[in-house]
Amino acid sequence: MTDISPIFRSRTAAVALAAGSLILTATAATAAPAADTTSTTAAPAAAGSALADSSQITFADAAGSTGPAQAVPGGTGGGTVNVLQRDTFGHLDPAQVYVNNQAQLATLLHRGLTTYKLDDSGAYSIVGDLATDSGRMSDGGKTWTYTLKDGIKWEDGTPITSTDIRHSVERLFAPFINSGPTYLQQWLAGTNGTDYRDLLPGGPYEGNHLQDSVLSTPDAKTVVFHFEKAQPDLPYALSLAGYGAVPRAKDTKEAYDLAPVASGPYKILEFKPGTSMTLVRNAEWNPATDASRHQYPDRFQISFGVSNADFTRRMMTDTGEDQTTTTFTNSVDKAFIPEIMANPQMAGRTLAGHQSYVAQINFNTKRITSRDLRLALAYAVPTQAVYDAQGGGYGAELAGSFISPTLAGYKKSDPLGKIAYPQGRPDKAREILKRHNKLGMKIRYAFVDTEQGQAYSAKIETALEKAGFDVERFPITGRYYYDVIGKTDNTYDMYASAWGADWPSGLTVIPPVFDGRTVADGASNYSMVNDRRINRRIDSIQAMTDPQEAAAAWMQLSDFIAKQVVPAVPTVYYKQMQMHGSRVGGATYHKMFSNIDPTRLYVKQ
């Protein structure tokens, strides 16, 4: 991956190819095609032009959760799909999975109570996976009931029961589970002021279990979650790879991370960390129980250590076994995009779309306490500089909102005029500075020290000085960037960040980034904003049990934050491009995965 700033962070801690909380990347991409197409065009789409499906995500009932999945047009069985990846898989235990390349693998290996379904019309929904539906809510959203499907089995043929699901949840509290998501654990623990692990210290391994008032399994097929507060986003959360099921009888604790038991359409035949992995068909997977996955190839042969540039060259050449090759998470190297898009045959083997990340320039509200002065900065910032650093329309789309186009409820919005005026409006900024007698106001601007960071930050500095600010830039090494800006006493006035949603709901964006009660060293509220209006509205939206109502409310709150509070200015929505060989069929960009969908792939005979 090419090092580009702003850098990414999200609750998923990383996307495709980086570990930890830091990503210095996003290679360029073209406009998003329709969900069931496999090619792109050279011209980027207009903002919001392919986003209707993201705004209408539904929670499916039993009928919508019944398998088998719709056949992929032209899909045939047999053959091997080769997969080129830069990084090896750091975790295989689903409870430890929180990085996108591992999550992509998990779609083939593991199943949970819910998952995403992409149908042939391009519509997305949350469906019951191991469960018969996406969940049945009661008690105002505090209680959720799931019933397991008939015919679901582990790779050894053992039936999957509610005991396994209960164990899968309880092991999340064990101390060795430290890399996966924590939403469910925290929701179950409630607001008793203790660490969520205190709810079940050590997990279930010494005979202790969660009380039935928290998690109950009245019979072999029923699982009931009981929360202190309404959790209307539970079906989304349970679709995370980190909440995949683990068999109680085969749980080897830490060692499970090396040899998990599959419940999905494929299982691991061989894994050589850092070198290769071979997946073969899981004969115990029953397609009649699965509404979203397929099992077309005989195997997936995965190779590690392949850079974006090398991957791109091989896809462009398209000879030999590279004709049946693709990737899960590598991106097309942006240096090759002009050549690829000028060649119809190559362009026809690309797929692209938005990622869930929104880049922003944060203003340190502890240092710049005036909303008007922050507004002046927002007007002055030329978001075009960040857009250009991402490769223009192939790598980004100008952003007006903190809500990504991949989220439910997204609507094109531009409360600060950053789409209409991407070069900034220095005249409006200067008017504000004059009115407050602040011409020449000093600004300490920190940026990540990469070639791209140097380039776009220099353009921003020039624009701000034209507006009347006195700017001093401070480069920060990428490795330590978030550590520095995440300090509540950092000495900088503005700096870049980016945030990606864990699922397509504003719940995983607005609260972690703008809830004032989260301000702390290392937290993701980089602006350190603590506004009671925002906090109160967050609480009221979180209590909404209608997901469509909540989605619209998060969008409205995003606009309010941008224009009325101005803790940051959105700059771009990230996009990416991927590529596949000429004999790879079913290649589809999955907006919820922000990558190719491995479950739809087949080998053209």
Side-chain angles (χ1 to χ4, degrees), residues 265-537:
Y266 291 87
K267 61 183 179 179
I268 298 172
L269 177 66
E270 182 181 50
F271 180 35
K272 297 178 181 178
T275 302
S276 65
M277 175 182 281
T278 303
L279 305 181
V280 295
R281 287 177 172 174
N282 173 11
E284 298 297 335
W285 172 78
N286 183 354
T289 70
D290 200 324
S292 65
R293 299 175 185 83
H294 301 85
Q295 195 188 52
Y296 290 123
D298 290 332
R299 63 175 57 200
F300 286 84
Q301 187 61 51
I302 306 169
S303 300
F304 305 112
V306 181
S307 69
N308 282 342
D310 288 344
F311 161 72
T312 305
R313 292 189 190 97
R314 290 176 62 172
M315 293 301 93
M316 293 171 68
T317 303
D318 192 41
T319 59
E321 71 173 19
D322 286 340
Q323 292 181 334
T324 57
T325 297
T326 186
T327 183
F328 288 166
T329 50
N330 275 27
S331 297
V332 169
D333 190 289
K334 75 170 186 175
F336 297 99
I337 287 180
E339 181 179 353
I340 291 171
M341 300 314 294
N343 184 318
Q345 291 185 336
M346 291 184 188
R349 292 188 287 107
T350 64
L351 58 154
H354 288 95
Q355 296 179 300
S356 67
Y357 293 89
V358 180
Q360 56 189 271
I361 300 292
N362 297 87
F363 307 133
N364 189 332
T365 61
K366 285 193 170 185
R367 292 175 58 88
I368 306 177
T369 59
S370 167
R371 175 261 182 191
D372 281 359
L373 295 179
R374 296 195 299 269
L375 183 61
L377 282 169
Y379 281 136
V381 168
T383 56
Q384 183 76 37
V386 182
Y387 176 84
D388 291 342
Q390 287 298 115
Y394 294 112
E397 179 181 305
L398 290 168
S401 169
F402 300 113
I403 298 291
S404 162
T406 65
L407 268 61
Y410 169 83
K411 292 183 179 179
K412 185 177 179 181
S413 176
D414 193 20
L416 290 172
K418 304 315 295 182
I419 298 174
Y421 300 95
Q423 299 291 357
R425 302 193 67 181
D427 53 336
K428 291 183 69 68
R430 182 175 284 272
E431 288 175 7
I432 295 173
L433 292 180
K434 283 183 177 180
R435 188 164 68 247
H436 288 268
N437 196 28
K438 286 290 186 177
L439 282 173
M441 178 182 177
K442 293 186 179 298
I443 294 295
R444 293 169 58 86
Y445 175 24
F447 65 94
V448 65
D449 192 11
T450 63
E451 180 181 349
Q452 290 79 8
Q454 289 279 1
Y456 80 74
S457 65
K459 293 179 180 178
I460 290 176
E461 177 186 13
T462 298
L464 264 59
E465 290 185 339
K466 182 179 179 180
F469 292 97
D470 180 4
V471 180
E472 184 177 6
R473 286 188 300 143
F474 296 88
I476 300 176
T477 301
R479 181 179 178 184
Y480 304 108
Y481 185 80
Y482 276 112
D483 292 337
V484 172
I485 70 170
K487 292 287 188 182
T488 57
D489 62 352
N490 79 67
T491 60
Y492 304 108
D493 298 306
M494 57 183 285
Y495 29 81
S497 70
W499 185 262
D502 270 354
W503 60 79
S505 165
L507 176 72
T508 62
V509 176
I510 300 300
V513 178
F514 297 116
D515 190 329
R517 295 158 294 191
T518 67
V519 173
D521 286 347
S524 49
N525 185 340
Y526 299 112
S527 297
M528 274 74 77
V529 62
N530 188 4
D531 188 294
R532 284 179 292 179
R533 296 169 298 175
I534 298 174
N535 300 345
R536 285 196 299 264
R537 188 56 177 155

Side-chain angles (χ1 to χ4, degrees), residues 28 32 72 82 104 120 125 151 213 223 251 375 383 412 415 418 451 465 489 496 523 543 551 575:
V72 175
N82 300 295
Q104 289 292 87
D120 288 340
S125 58
S213 60
V223 179
D251 183 1
L375 183 61
T383 56
K412 185 177 179 181
K418 304 315 295 182
E451 180 181 349
E465 290 185 339
D489 62 352
K575 296 156 79 174

Side-chain angles (χ1 to χ4, degrees), residues 190-220:
T191 57
N192 57 12
T194 62
D195 183 272
Y196 72 83
R197 293 187 193 274
D198 293 340
L199 187 64
L200 188 63
Y205 299 103
E206 296 181 2
N208 298 320
H209 298 283
L210 293 172
Q211 295 182 6
D212 285 348
S213 60
V214 176
L215 174 65
S216 58
T217 49
D219 56 54

Side-chain angles (χ1 to χ4, degrees), residues 95-134:
Q96 301 277 41
V97 171
Y98 214 9
V99 177
N100 213 350
N101 63 333
Q102 298 163 24
Q104 289 292 87
L105 174 69
T107 63
L108 297 172
L109 297 178
H110 304 302
R111 299 178 68 179
L113 288 174
T114 66
T115 191
Y116 291 105
K117 175 183 176 180
L118 170 61
D119 68 23
D120 288 340
S121 68
Y124 293 86
S125 58
I126 294 288
V127 299
D129 189 4
L130 295 175
T132 57
D133 53 33
S134 58

